[in-house]
Every structure is written in C-alpha cells, then in structure tokens.
Amino acid sequence: MMMIIAEFFVVILKVLWAFVTAGAKWVVPPKEKSVAGQVCVITGAGSGLGRLFAKEFARRGATLVLWDINSQSNEETAEMVRQIYKELDTPIQKEEPVGGVEEVPTFQPQVHTYVCDVGKRENVYSTAEQVRREVGEVDILINNAGVVSGHHLLECPDELIERTMVVNCHAHFWTTKAFLPKMLELNHGHIVTVASSLGLFSTAGVEDYCASKFGAIGFHESLSHEIKVSEKDGISMTLVCPYLVDTELFKGCRIRKEIEPFLPPLKPEFCVKQAMRAILTDQPMVCTPRIVYMVNFMKSILPFEAIVCMYRFLGADKCMYPFLAQRKEAMNNNEAKNGI
C-alpha cells in the first residue's frame, strides 16, 4: 500500500513537471529540428494543404515523396517543389555535437511522384513498397489526404459514406502499417495526422466526415500511446486539428455573419505554417486557432443543451448548410448538362 501511495505522489510530481515544461516552451520556444535529407511522404499532395506541406518541407531540404490520386495536379506540385530546390543551391549547415557549425557538401534533394488511391489498401501497400525500392526508407509520414461527400446523411449514397471513411480514416492504418515497422526498427521517424476540429467536436450535415475525423484522431492517440509503451523515444507523433480552412473542400461554409469577422476561415498558408512549427518542434498536438482548445474543453464539461445554445448563437449549428446547398446545386447542374 505504501508503494502505491509513494508512486501516486511521484505521478503528481511528474504531472506538475509536465505543466512546468509546457509553460517554459511559451517563454523559450524550442528549437526546430532539421529535416534536410530526410524522406517525407505526403498523401493528398496534389492540392490544398498537401501541396503547401510539400513546399514547406522542400524549403527545408527534405526529399519529397508525393502521393495523390490525380497525376496532373501531383506533377504540378512536384514542379513547384523543383523550383524551390533550385533556389536552395547553397551548402547545408549542420550542427556538430559540440555545438559548432560545419559546412558539408551541397545536398541535392529530389521529389518523387506516385499515383496512389489511399482508399485502396493494396494500392497503398504496393506503392509503399515501390517507394522503399526507388527512394529508400521513409522518415516522415504526413497522412493528409481527405475527402468530403457534401450530402446530408439521408441523401448521401452509401458508397460515398464508405469512401469518406476509407480515405479519411482507414487509409491512416494502411500507410502506418506500411512505414512504421522500419521506423520502430531504427527508432527514428515522425507520423503526422492531419485531422480537423470536426474530429474534436461536430456539427450538423457532415456526419460521415465528422465520424471519419473522430476515427482518425482516435487512431492517432492510440498509436501514440502504443509507441510510448514500446519506449521508442525516437519516433514522434503530431496531431493537426485546424478550424475550417479556406480551401475547395468546404467552400461556402459560413458561421453567423456578425461573428465571422472574429472567427473567419483559416488561410491555408497560416494553417500549414502553424502545423510545420508543431512538427519541427515535436509538438504532440496543434489546434488552430487556439480557441479550438477551449471549445474542445467546454464540450467536455458543459451539458449538451448548453453546447446547442452556443452553437446556435455562433451559427455553427447550420454552418455547413450553405456548403451542402452549393454541392447539391453543382451536382444538379452537372446532371442537367449530361442530360443535354
């Protein structure tokens, strides 16, 4: 019994120390790690956040492996990355163990493109094997690919619901199973889950999307605990949960117009820069903007009816409805054109 009591006090001290170290990072921001020369796989790299992640990692000298289902858009991202590489025609600096700086020969990073449908398990495994043969072992995995059906639940075909779940959630299992074993063997790697604030708290009209993001976050958190249990301290995990991002994915989504100036959709560039800061400092989780942390906490302690009242005040309860209406109108227009 005394041992349990003693261990309990040790746990309390460790928890308090965790608060102290977290607070210290606000005062003295941690140094960003180097990813120069490391192999980074990015899914959904052909557009949106994936393309911006590719450009950010390229600026830091990483070797990029771009996955996307769209070959043309993926090649467009690759061309942007090559242009960035040309601008990096300077020797890479590295720190010696004693803290000095040594100039090393110029490293020429490369970009590799692969057409991969992460919604198909065997396609993921075969593409991962091809990457290992042609590029080498993967150091960083960015699970970014995502889709949204854009239908109310009762109007959504089952196939689109399944597609949303597979791409947004199940694909994370498959990419991780493909690349994690070598990371564990080398005790080196970083896995990033690009989720959403809609994986922390939900709203009406996007049941399939919310469920897929809740699932991705649950997978990420469980995997983080498993890596901690295995005592592989060289493997990092970062969960990215942005608020609505101003991309084509949720074009038209709007909260209450009086509130929107204070909580506008995020600029994709800002979202990725915040995420990159978290990744390069091995931060376990980043929510953008910071109010997302507060909303998630309030959801955990407030009665459901209180949450409903807040949603209605903010216009968050029906924020997806304009987006869904636009999707429906676009689909009707396409069907009319095809009919003609």
Side-chain angles (χ1 to χ4, degrees):
M1 188 55 146
M2 292 299 294
M3 287 294 294
I4 293 177
I5 294 174
E7 187 175 346
F8 177 71
F9 279 107
V10 171
V11 169
I12 290 177
L13 290 175
K14 288 183 177 180
V15 169
L16 293 175
W17 180 247
F19 275 101
V20 171
T21 54
K25 290 178 181 178
W26 282 73
V27 180
V28 183
K31 182 180 178 181
E32 294 185 356
K33 65 183 180 183
S34 172
V35 294
Q38 296 193 25
V39 178
C40 175
V41 170
I42 303 176
T43 67
S47 61
L49 299 185
R51 174 172 289 179
L52 293 174
F53 273 118
K55 293 167 72 174
E56 288 294 330
F57 276 101
R59 292 187 182 102
R60 291 163 174 81
T63 292
L64 273 299
V65 178
L66 309 180
W67 287 17
D68 201 277
I69 195 172
N70 187 316
S71 175
Q72 181 178 344
S73 61
N74 208 27
E75 287 297 335
E76 289 173 358
T77 300
E79 189 55 39
M80 296 176 187
V81 167
R82 293 186 187 101
Q83 187 59 41
I84 292 173
Y85 285 159
K86 290 179 183 179
E87 298 169 1
L88 293 178
D89 191 20
T90 54
I92 294 174
Q93 302 290 317
K94 72 174 184 180
E95 291 189 359
E96 294 179 318
V98 294
V101 176
E102 174 190 1
E103 186 175 291
V104 297
T106 303
F107 172 75
Q108 294 296 337
Q110 295 179 329
V111 58
H112 307 263
T113 59
Y114 296 86
V115 176
C116 180
D117 183 354
V118 295
K120 296 180 179 178
R121 182 177 64 251
E122 294 307 321
N123 196 185
V124 170
Y125 291 150
S126 61
T127 306
E129 183 57 36
Q130 188 179 355
V131 169
R132 279 191 289 268
R133 290 196 311 268
E134 298 175 357
V135 185
E137 298 300 337
V138 170
D139 301 289
I140 304 169
L141 171 61
I142 312 291
N143 279 317
N144 167 77
V147 296
V148 60
S149 66
H151 295 274
H152 289 279
L153 175 63
L154 299 183
E155 300 174 357
C156 187
D158 292 344
E159 295 77 13
L160 290 184
I161 294 175
E162 291 174 347
R163 177 71 177 169
T164 301
M165 294 301 298
V166 168
V167 172
N168 294 2
C169 182
H170 299 175
H172 294 216
F173 287 74
W174 304 330
T175 56
T176 301
K177 288 183 69 176
F179 297 119
L180 181 59
K182 197 64 179 181
M183 291 183 182
L184 291 171
E185 179 184 332
L186 300 175
N187 191 23
H188 171 75
H190 199 140
I191 297 176
V192 179
T193 299
V194 181
S196 168
S197 61
L198 292 178
L200 299 171
F201 44 84
S202 57
T203 189
V206 282
E207 290 83 359
D208 54 344
Y209 185 83
C210 290
S212 68
K213 291 301 184 179
F214 268 82
I217 290 176
F219 166 76
H220 179 98
E221 292 182 349
S222 180
L223 180 61
S224 298
H225 285 296
E226 184 169 344
I227 290 174
K228 286 292 185 182
V229 169
S230 66
E231 297 183 352
K232 298 293 183 178
D233 56 359
I235 300 176
S236 301
M237 299 282 294
T238 298
L239 176 62
V240 180
C241 293
Y243 171 64
L244 296 172
V245 183
D246 190 13
T247 63
E248 289 296 320
L249 194 64
F250 282 114
K251 189 174 182 180
C253 175
R254 289 291 179 267
I255 60 173
R256 187 173 176 176
K257 63 180 181 180
E258 294 88 353
I259 303 295
E260 192 170 47
F262 303 98
L263 198 60
L266 297 176
K267 293 297 182 183
E269 295 79 7
F270 173 75
C271 176
V272 170
K273 285 189 179 297
Q274 293 294 105
M276 286 298 298
R277 174 65 181 168
I279 294 167
L280 297 176
T281 57
D282 292 330
Q283 187 175 327
M285 179 180 181
V286 57
C287 293
T288 312
R290 294 190 183 278
I291 194 173
V292 173
Y293 294 107
M294 184 184 301
V295 175
N296 188 43
F297 174 71
M298 292 173 69
K299 173 209 167 186
S300 302
I301 61 173
L302 293 178
F304 179 70
E305 289 303 323
I307 298 295
V308 171
C309 289
M310 291 176 58
Y311 268 47
R312 288 175 177 170
F313 172 73
L314 296 171
D317 56 337
K318 296 181 179 179
C319 65
M320 290 294 171
Y321 281 29
F323 156 72
L324 296 172
Q326 285 188 18
R327 279 293 185 97
K328 189 172 184 178
E329 182 180 356
M331 181 174 294
N332 291 337
N333 291 338
N334 288 335
E335 289 177 354
K337 289 179 182 178
N338 292 334
I340 293 173

